Amino acid sequence: EIMKEVSGLKVLEAGIEEKLGISKVVVVPGDSDQSPWVKKEMGRACVNTMRKRFHDENIIAVAGGTTISSVAEMMKPDTKNRELLFVPARGGLGEKVQNQANTICATMAEKAMGNYRLLHIPDSLSHESYQSMIEEPSIKEVIGLIKNSSMVIHGIGDAKTMAQRRKTAPENMQKIEQAHAVAEAFGYYFNEAGEVVHKVQTVGMQLADLEKIECVIAVAGGASKAKAIRAYLKKAPHTILITDEGAAKELIRE
Ligand code: G3H
C-alpha cells in the first residue's frame, strides 16, 4: 500500500517536471491547505534536498513565510560537518516577525549548528534611505554574502494573500490587482505569464541575481497555490520545486 502511494507520487513528480519544464520536483503526500503538518513534510523534503546539494562551504540565502519557517523547524546539523552560513535573502517585506527572513534564517542556522548573518534594515525604505543604506559597510558586507550565495530557499505565495498579509499600501494594492498578479516570491509579484508587475523595494537579493545561483529551491504547497506556482515557474525554469499532493494534482490537471 505504501509502495503504491510512493509510486503514485513519483508519477506526479515526473508529470509536473514535464509540464512545467523544470528539472526536479518533489511531492509529499497531503494538502497543506487542509492539514498544517504537511508543511512540515515539505520542510523535511526540502532539508533532504538541501543536504544532497551542499558543498564543503555553503552560503544559504533564506526567504520568509510560513513554509520556509517549517523548513527551518525541520533543519538538522549536517552529518558531514560542512560549513553552513545562512543569510536572509532580502530585507524586510512587511511581515510579522515569525515570517521574516531574518528570524527564519537565525532559527535555521541554529538548528543546523551553522552560522548566520542578518540584515538590520527597516522594512520600507525611501529611495534616498535605500541608496545610503546599501553604502553602509556592515550592510554592504551582508549584501555581498547574499549575492555570492550558493543556494536559495524561498516560498511562493498567492499574490492577493501575500499583499494583504503584508498590509500593502492601498496604491500598491491597486497596482497589484490591476496588473492581475497571481503569484508572489521574495517580495516580487508576478502575473499569469510569470512577468514581474510589482516589487517591494528592499536590499539583498534581486530577481536577476537568482539566475547566477547554482541551487534555487522553491517550497510551496496547497491546492490554493497551484496557480501561483505555475505562473512563477514560467520564468524560473532552473528552480527545484518542493510541493505537496494538493498543489501537484491541480498543477497536473490543467
Ligand atoms: O514570502 C512568502 C511566501 O511567498 C509565501 O508565504 O509560505 O507563508 O505561504 P507562505
Side-chain angles (χ1 to χ4, degrees), residues 1 38 41 57 73 92 112 115 118 129 144 171 183 195 204 207 217-218 234 247 253:
E1 193 57 36
V38 175
E41 287 309 311
E57 288 176 14
E73 235 180 283
N115 297 304
L118 302 179
S129 319
E171 62 268 27
E195 294 153 350
L207 189 62
I217 307 177
K234 278 189 183 153
R253 229 181 25 194

Side-chain angles (χ1 to χ4, degrees), residues 166-197:
R166 289 174 181 157
K167 309 211 171 12
T168 306
E171 62 268 27
N172 287 333
M173 203 68 184
Q174 213 179 14
K175 187 180 162 197
I176 288 164
E177 273 172 26
Q178 276 170 357
H180 303 289
V182 295
E184 183 281 340
F186 44 89
Y188 286 80
Y189 290 82
F190 306 83
N191 64 17
E192 214 152 2
E195 294 153 350
V196 177
V197 295

Side-chain angles (χ1 to χ4, degrees), residues 39 64-68 93 95 99 155-157 162 165-166 184-187 219 225:
K39 263 188 197 171
T66 57
T67 314
I68 306 305
L93 303 172
E95 295 263 22
N99 289 333
I156 302 170
M162 291 314 300
R165 190 167 92 187
R166 289 174 181 157
E184 183 281 340
F186 44 89
V219 196
K225 280 193 185 181

